[in-house]
Amino acid sequence: MSITGIKGMNDILPGDIETWQYLEAQARKIFGAFGYREIRVPVVEKTELFCRSIGETTDIVEKEMYTFSDKGGTSMTLRPEGTAPVMRSFIQHKLYAQDPVSKLYYIGPMFRHERPQKGRYRQFHQIGAEVIGIDDPKIDAQVLAMLSHYFESVAIPDVSLQINSLGCPECRPGYRQALSDFLETRQDLLCADCQRRYTTNPLRALDCKVPGCKEATSEAPDMLAHLCSGCDDHFSQVKAYLDNLEVVYTVNPRMVRGLDYYTKTTFEMVTNSLGSQNAVAAGGRYDGLISDLGGPALPGIGFAMGLERLALMLGEEELVPPRPELFIATLGIAATKAGFNLLTRLQRQGILAEMEYTGKSLKAQLRRADKLNTRRVLILGEDELARGTAQLRYMDESHQEEVTLESIEARLLKEIHDA
RNA sequence: GUGGGUGUAGCUCAGUCGGUAGAGCACUGGAUUGUGGCUCCGGAUGUCGCGGGUUCAAGCCCCGUCACUCACCCCA
């Protein structure tokens, strides 16, 4: 083996890429209709950005970031997620000064140094969307309506939308304390991880997958019952709007987030067809993030979808490659030269056309034309060239006719246009 | 960071009791000197992951190592 790629960072080859292009094109179309515009930000940022936004004690920041010093000694990090860089850009360019509302989406690679497994890679790709400047529950509902519409439109099977509310800086500390107190009484029933978590991050114990913990926390205080009146009202309205829009969801009061900046509404698109990697899209409201990063006190909400996971769920079938309109088969040097000229003229006009470049038998050329699934083959031999004609063979009908060389381009253009 | 599984042709995989490699697909040439698919005949292709050991002899047994993969953890 010579040089190989890096563990957990995959090549996306022709045959697979078509699925990705489809997923991206649908996102652009649907997000566009909902008023979003694309933003592209660098894949590296100052490390500090992620520490401050995602949270110092999260797994992502503690052990999963690709962090290095550049030649000037600045600590830089390959982005592990997309929201923080987009917010950094939003603040830096004062987009709020041009428009009180920004709807942005992004597509691109993210990096986390984890052990790779199915649906989890070190370089992975996300499509994300963010709305900044609106705290009305209508927007929460609209974001969710768009997300579930996207999943329907690309026909991803077996997903369900789960929603929850994490409260705000006003009510969350109270709940956190209540939960922490509760966990303390059940401490001996918890797994080692949860015993550690009940002081550092008690919410995480709620979605622990260890059966013993599930049981021990089954009577835990209800997050939704501890919401302050503002958060409670917001969540009720979100649900009401979702019902009105006929967006199907279930409330999962135990759903928590791996990033610290989330507030109020949070949600996940989950599946059980990807093993333990059950989240294919996730997001929530982050009303404090922008001010935490030094920007104005603007609310935000958004989500990210994992492209690898979406592609896995769409299945193995490869989309068929585009069908050439014409394959030019030639015999003899003069005919090959004429064929090559014609080929390039057609390609310049946007017609997908091919030929055999390395002088093979006519049989071999036709075999290749067939393999490419070509619609037509133009057979150009010395005899025809002398007459200024060629055989135009329609592969599907196994039928051919002699046509003049001058008429070919116009004829092809007309046939393609009519089809 | 912790476990399990798997490494043989471009791909998917056989390979018996240790006797120095095979199939299908794909590729390629031919079966009418200028006509595809189906069929038939032929051809090329391997550091058997790598390194060591045992043995007259190792793809197979032993030790080490690397890679890939799945799972835990965490997450999109």
Side-chain angles (χ1 to χ4, degrees):
Chain A
M1 234 10 194
S2 45
I3 300 173
T4 57
I6 291 172
K7 184 204 261 303
M9 305 202 180
N10 301 317
D11 301 314
I12 307 159
L13 304 176
D16 295 326
I17 197 71
E18 288 79 7
T19 302
W20 287 61
Q21 290 172 333
Y22 169 68
L23 289 168
E24 291 173 12
Q26 285 297 110
R28 289 179 196 282
K29 193 174 123 200
I30 290 169
F31 293 8
F34 278 81
Y36 291 75
R37 297 170 73 192
E38 184 174 4
I39 181 168
R40 295 195 193 184
V41 295
V43 296
V44 248
E45 295 277 353
K46 289 176 186 164
T47 303
E48 185 192 4
L49 173 67
F50 300 113
C51 296
R52 275 172 57 184
S53 57
I54 297 170
E56 294 277 6
T57 61
T58 57
D59 279 15
I60 294 176
V61 170
E62 275 183 349
K63 50 193 190 197
E64 293 174 1
M65 295 205 302
Y66 280 93
T67 297
F68 58 95
S69 293
D70 79 348
K71 296 198 173 170
T74 309
S75 179
M76 315 185 92
T77 294
L78 261 40
R79 62 182 185 193
E81 62 109 32
T83 300
V86 169
M87 293 310 129
R88 188 229 85 225
S89 174
F90 172 85
I91 295 165
Q92 182 175 338
H93 300 288
K94 295 188 167 57
L95 296 188
Y96 48 85
Q98 303 165 23
D99 191 326
V101 178
S102 291
K103 288 182 172 178
L104 304 166
Y105 75 89
Y106 58 86
I107 300 177
M110 308 293 163
F111 304 85
R112 294 183 200 171
H113 191 104
E114 307 176 84
R115 271 303 265 286
Q117 61 184 272
K118 185 174 186 165
R120 195 180 80 182
Y121 308 101
R122 290 183 172 178
Q123 174 173 332
F124 61 102
H125 298 76
Q126 291 188 330
I127 303 179
E130 318 282 355
V131 186
I132 306 157
I134 304 177
D135 58 8
D136 192 281
K138 276 197 286 297
I139 275 298
D140 302 43
Q142 187 182 68
V143 164
L144 290 169
M146 181 175 86
L147 180 61
S148 68
H149 176 62
Y150 177 81
F151 274 77
E152 275 171 36
S153 93
V154 297
I156 302 268
D158 304 325
V159 288
S160 69
L161 174 63
Q162 302 196 348
I163 66 170
N164 191 24
S165 176
L166 292 182
C168 64
E170 207 174 302
C171 50
R172 192 163 12 173
Y175 174 69
R176 194 186 144 111
Q177 189 59 51
L179 180 62
S180 182
D181 291 346
F182 169 83
L183 292 174
E184 195 167 5
T185 67
R186 303 284 177 109
Q187 208 183 142
D188 45 335
L189 299 173
L190 299 175
C191 70
D193 284 327
C194 287
Q195 294 197 15
R196 177 171 46 78
R197 288 202 273 246
Y198 90 88
T199 48
T200 58
N201 196 350
L203 298 192
R204 289 237 71 88
L206 289 179
D207 74 344
C208 182
K209 286 165 189 150
V210 178
C213 292
K214 282 189 167 164
E215 201 170 319
T217 60
S218 62
E219 313 250 307
D222 188 344
M223 188 183 310
L224 294 172
H226 282 70
L227 294 179
C228 63
S229 62
C231 287
D232 189 49
D233 181 53
H234 185 95
F235 193 52
S236 301
Q237 287 197 56
V238 171
K239 287 186 290 184
Y241 283 122
L242 287 175
D243 293 337
N244 268 322
L245 296 174
E246 296 178 319
V247 174
V248 181
Y249 65 90
T250 57
V251 174
N252 176 2
R254 306 170 78 82
M255 187 180 77
V256 298
R257 304 275 60 195
L259 288 70
D260 284 354
Y261 53 66
Y262 286 110
T263 57
K264 290 187 179 168
T265 314
T266 54
F267 49 89
E268 280 182 12
M269 275 287 180
V270 298
T271 174
N272 40 30
S273 67
L274 286 181
S276 58
Q277 271 28 264
N278 65 345
V280 279
R285 190 161 268 293
Y286 44 84
D287 289 346
L289 176 60
I290 294 164
S291 57
D292 286 351
L293 289 175
L298 288 170
I301 180 170
F303 63 83
M305 317 189 274
L307 267 172
E308 281 80 358
R309 293 180 185 180
L310 291 175
L312 276 172
M313 294 183 71
L314 275 186
E316 297 294 307
E317 322 98 79
E318 294 187 354
L319 299 174
V320 287
R323 235 186 134 174
E325 298 291 345
L326 186 72
F327 187 97
I328 299 176
T330 60
L331 289 159
I333 293 171
T336 300
K337 213 178 255 181
F340 185 54
N341 282 342
L342 174 62
L343 177 75
T344 307
R345 278 207 304 281
L346 294 171
Q347 289 168 332
R348 281 174 176 158
Q349 291 179 71
I351 295 169
L352 174 47
E354 259 302 354
M355 72 183 292
E356 173 63 54
Y357 300 95
T358 55
K360 294 198 172 159
S361 71
L362 184 60
K363 181 196 265 309
Q365 294 183 67
L366 278 160
R367 245 202 304 270
R368 177 156 167 77
D370 186 65
K371 185 178 168 60
L372 293 174
N373 197 22
T374 313
R375 288 179 202 279
R376 311 169 189 79
V377 174
L378 191 73
I379 300 164
L380 183 56
E382 314 262 275
D383 305 348
E384 287 91 347
L385 189 64
R387 289 198 296 273
T389 65
Q391 305 292 333
L392 182 58
R393 182 173 181 80
Y394 291 84
M395 297 296 272
D396 294 342
E397 287 84 39
S398 298
H399 156 267
Q400 69 187 47
E401 57 187 276
E402 188 158 346
V403 298
T404 65
L405 285 173
E406 295 102 56
S407 67
I408 289 168
E409 287 181 61
R411 178 177 178 142
L412 272 179
L413 285 167
K414 183 175 186 315
E415 283 185 11
I416 292 165
H417 182 262
D418 291 349

